[in-house]
Amino acid sequence: MDHEGQKLAEILFYIIICLFGAIGWAIGYVRQDFGVVFQFWSVGVVISVILCVPDWPFFNSHPIKWLESVPNERRLQASKKMS
Amino acid sequence: MHTVWVRLNAVVFFGLTVLLVLSCLAALSKLGHSVRHRPIVHTLQLNKLRSLKSHGGVDRALLSIDLDVDLTPAFHWNVKQLFVYVVAIYEANGRSNHVVLWDKIVEASGDQEKDWVIKLDSLFVKYALVDQGKELRGKDITLQLHWDHMPITGLLYMDTQPLAESSHFTLPTEYQ
C-alpha cells in the first residue's frame, strides 16, 4: 500500500467506526438497549476490516516515485579495468 | 500501516477504544437514575412463623414471608442485573444485626412482566434467621428489602427500602 493509500485507509476506518458507534449509541439510548450499540459497533468494525486491511488496488493509485538508479562507482571502475 | 498485520491491529484496537468510550458514555448518561427511580415495594411482611428453636447452641427461626415488589423503574440500558435480598434487622446486646433471609438475581434480559415484578406469597425463607447466640426470643424484627444495581459499565450501587416503610414483627418469648 503506498503512502497516500495508508493515509486513506486510516481516515476511512476512523470515520466508519466512529459513525457506526455514534449512530448505534443514539438508537440504543432511545431504545434503552446497550445491545443495539454493540451490534452497530460490530458491523462498523467488520466493514472497516474488510475495507481497510487488505491491499486493495484503489490504495495503490499513488505509487512511490523512486529516484533513478545512480551508477555504482566501484562497479564502473571494475568494469573499466576488465575491459 | 505498511503491512496487513499493522493495519489489522490498528483497526481492531481503535474499535475497542471506541467501544470503551461508548460504554463510559452510556454509564454517564444514567448518572443519578437509580436515586430518582427506585423499585416500588408494595408488600414485605411476615406470613407465618414456623418455629423458633435453639439449634446447635444458637437461636434459629424459620418463617415464611409475603413479598410484592415492582423492580421495573430501576432498570435502564446500563443495568445488567439487580441482586435483590430481604434483610431481617434486630438489636441484640446493644448492636444492630442484619441477617439475609432470601435473595434473587433479576436479570435485565429477563421478561419485563414476569421477572421484573416479584409477587410471592408464603415465600419460605432461603436462609434461616440465625442468631450468633441466644438473643432471638422476644426480639422485634424489621424486614427490609435491599438491592444492588450491577451495571454493564461502572460502579455497583446499593440501595434499600426506607426503614420508615418497613414492616416488623415480634418473635415469641419462648421457644416453639
Side-chain angles (χ1 to χ4, degrees):
Chain A
M1 211 186 261
D2 60 54
H3 291 134
E4 294 303 315
Q6 290 176 32
K7 270 190 225 168
L8 176 62
E10 188 160 344
I11 292 175
L12 262 178
F13 77 73
Y14 280 171
I15 294 177
I16 293 173
I17 293 179
C18 288
L19 202 70
F20 273 82
I23 295 176
W25 199 94
I27 297 179
Y29 182 77
V30 168
R31 302 246 235 110
Q32 281 296 295
D33 182 0
F34 195 77
V36 167
V37 180
F38 192 79
Q39 279 162 21
F40 270 77
W41 172 84
S42 320
V43 168
V45 172
V46 168
I47 291 179
S48 296
V49 168
I50 294 172
L51 210 60
C52 305
V53 173
D55 197 7
W56 299 116
F58 62 83
F59 286 127
N60 287 299
S61 40
H62 295 85
I64 298 170
K65 287 207 181 71
W66 297 107
L67 292 174
E68 304 274 320
S69 343
V70 174
N72 187 316
E73 282 298 324
R74 272 196 218 138
R75 269 212 232 122
L76 270 177
Q77 302 293 352
S79 55
K80 274 189 196 155
K81 277 189 191 157
M82 287 195 317
S83 57
Chain B
M1 302 297 284
H2 44 83
T3 64
V4 166
W5 308 109
V6 176
R7 289 193 293 273
L8 185 63
N9 179 79
V11 173
V12 169
F13 284 96
F14 179 72
L16 288 173
T17 307
V18 167
L19 183 63
L20 175 66
V21 170
L22 294 174
S23 305
C24 291
L25 285 177
L28 288 172
S29 79
K30 280 298 164 185
L31 222 58
H33 174 108
S34 302
V35 185
R36 286 191 302 265
H37 302 273
R38 289 203 163 89
I40 306 164
V41 184
H42 297 292
T43 315
L44 172 55
Q45 65 197 15
L46 173 74
N47 175 263
K48 205 161 75 163
L49 177 72
R50 197 210 269 186
S51 70
L52 170 58
K53 290 194 169 79
S54 178
H55 183 86
V58 293
D59 278 4
R60 186 182 81 170
L62 294 173
L63 53 134
S64 57
I65 56 179
D66 294 329
L67 176 61
D68 184 350
V69 55
D70 183 7
L71 299 167
T72 313
F75 281 100
H76 54 74
W77 68 331
N78 196 38
V79 170
K80 180 182 180 289
Q81 62 198 21
L82 290 180
F83 183 66
V84 184
Y85 51 107
V86 173
V87 176
I89 305 172
Y90 64 96
E91 274 217 22
N93 299 326
R95 290 198 178 87
S96 184
N97 291 267
H98 291 223
V99 181
V100 176
L101 299 179
W102 180 89
D103 54 40
K104 184 171 208 273
I105 294 174
V106 180
E107 291 176 10
S109 56
D111 184 88
Q112 200 162 333
E113 260 108 67
K114 280 187 256 168
D115 300 319
W116 292 9
V117 179
I118 304 177
K119 271 202 184 119
L120 296 163
D121 274 338
S122 309
L123 176 65
F124 200 74
V125 292
K126 237 194 205 186
Y127 318 107
L129 173 49
V130 181
D131 185 47
Q132 292 188 319
K134 298 174 189 297
E135 297 298 323
L136 280 185
R137 282 165 293 173
K139 280 287 188 290
D140 184 62
I141 315 271
T142 307
L143 290 175
Q144 192 185 30
L145 192 70
H146 292 224
W147 53 87
D148 299 350
H149 300 82
M150 301 166 98
I152 297 177
T153 309
L155 299 169
L156 206 86
Y157 175 66
M158 292 160 52
D159 206 355
T160 66
Q161 176 190 15
L163 261 179
E165 293 169 25
S166 305
S167 78
H168 53 110
F169 61 95
T170 313
L171 287 173
T173 45
E174 296 299 324
Y175 289 134
Q176 45 185 252

